[in-house]
Amino acid sequence: MPALMTQVQPPLEFIPPRFNPGVLRLMQWLLPALIRTQTGIEQIQGRNVEQLVDLYQQFQTGKVRLIMAFRHPSTYDPFCLAYLLAHLVPQGARKQHVPLRSPIHAHFLYDRGIPLWAGEWAGWLYSRLGGISIQRGKIDRQGLRTARELFVNGTLPLIAAPEGATNGHGEIISPLEPGIAQLGFWCVEDLVKAGRSESVVILPIGIQYHYVDAPWEALDSLLQQLETVAGISSASGSGLLEVKLNHPDPSWTEREAGLYQRLLSLGEHILSLMEEFYTRFYHQTLIPPVAAEAPVLSGNEQFALRLQVLLDAALRVAEQYFGLMAKGSVIDRCRRLEQAGWDCIYREDIKQLENLSPLERGLADAIAAEASLRMWHMRLVESFVSVTGRYVREKPTIERFAETTLLMWDLVTRIQGKNPFARPSLGKQQVQITIGTPISVSDRWDTYQANRRSAKQSVTDLTQDLQTALESLIL
């Protein structure tokens, strides 16, 4: 049974940034120990850091306004970015003999939901580190207004993840949300109105994780755990032979082929169980795997099709309850559902919960519990928005095997009502942070401000260019 929010809560308030240099210095001092004890990261390296050093110098001398857009494959990313700014940039500045003022830091945008599951301390800490809370599922006017103001007038640059959330894939980037591009154009607009000459740039930053030593044994153990929980046994020798014969790349090792067969079997078993779950108990009509209509589909393609149909059904279950239309991308639908659930749990129409009668409180609690349950379906979908069914097959690296297996662990753990954020660590990792080429927003201003249609198209084009730039940083 999933863990539920069973009681109505007061309105979800905006958490304003209250940057405190003392808190920052303490956290930067503690950072190496936090990375060592809270993550599986052994080493963090930077490529093209001199580009970021140069931009910080331009920012501090009043030549540019800067927002950094980073890839967000892992929950460890904040540790890596903090290390980049606290250690790698100062080291690069000293090496280049570039004088930079302290602190070398950035205001950052974070999901308002993080303090809900991590605890109130997270909101307090993020605020003191200069964080700006954003509600992802609605137009958060106060959060956006604060980010816009700091982008134009803040003493620190901004940093944000244009994907909006982690997707668990080191080599797949989710479709970007347009917020960073829009913030860029708003910043240019505000600078023009103020008669200021700074240029506005977006800097793409790539983050990739690699295992120091390939943890094949730990992966095998995790797969065995998942197979046990799912009620299936490991792949047999005949299954292993079948994968080796059918796979187009003869360079696969016996271990890779065997793990791939087990991963497929586990995925197929879980998918079948979930299809039955939504068909039987939520009365969803699932389109069966395409056979007669498109017999050329491979097993992987049929699996991917079934998965997408299942994800759509899970979202429909929640959307039907909240009265929402199924429109937009899967990510768009998840964001709207999250906000609809929050609206039922964190009631803005009830300012003083203590003024409710016991009967009114009971009804409000029932609505909150039901909304929490319906959001559970959306949470299942969130973990699988970037799953293609081809990821491991195309490139059977330990990283891709691990990422896919850990996504299955997330799903199985959430279904059991356990903590999905307590992911197991398979082994020590090293991190590569790659600084990309800055994208000028100011150079696109004339096109943006021509008319409403061109403004919308300019945001779309800039978002797509940023997506392409981040994809180019995957090594």
Side-chain angles (χ1 to χ4, degrees), residues 69-98:
F70 67 93
R71 263 246 57 208
H72 200 6
S74 169
T75 54
Y76 292 161
D77 296 341
F79 293 98
C80 300
L81 293 167
Y83 189 85
L84 170 68
L85 299 183
H87 293 274
L88 298 183
V89 171
Q91 291 171 9
R94 288 192 294 269
K95 183 177 180 180
Q96 297 168 232
H97 305 289
V98 174

Side-chain angles (χ1 to χ4, degrees), residues 263-273 275 303 306 408:
L263 205 56
L264 278 180
S265 299
L266 178 62
E268 169 70 28
H269 182 74
I270 293 175
L271 182 59
S272 297
L273 286 177
E275 286 173 334
F303 181 90
R306 289 172 59 193
M408 289 192 181

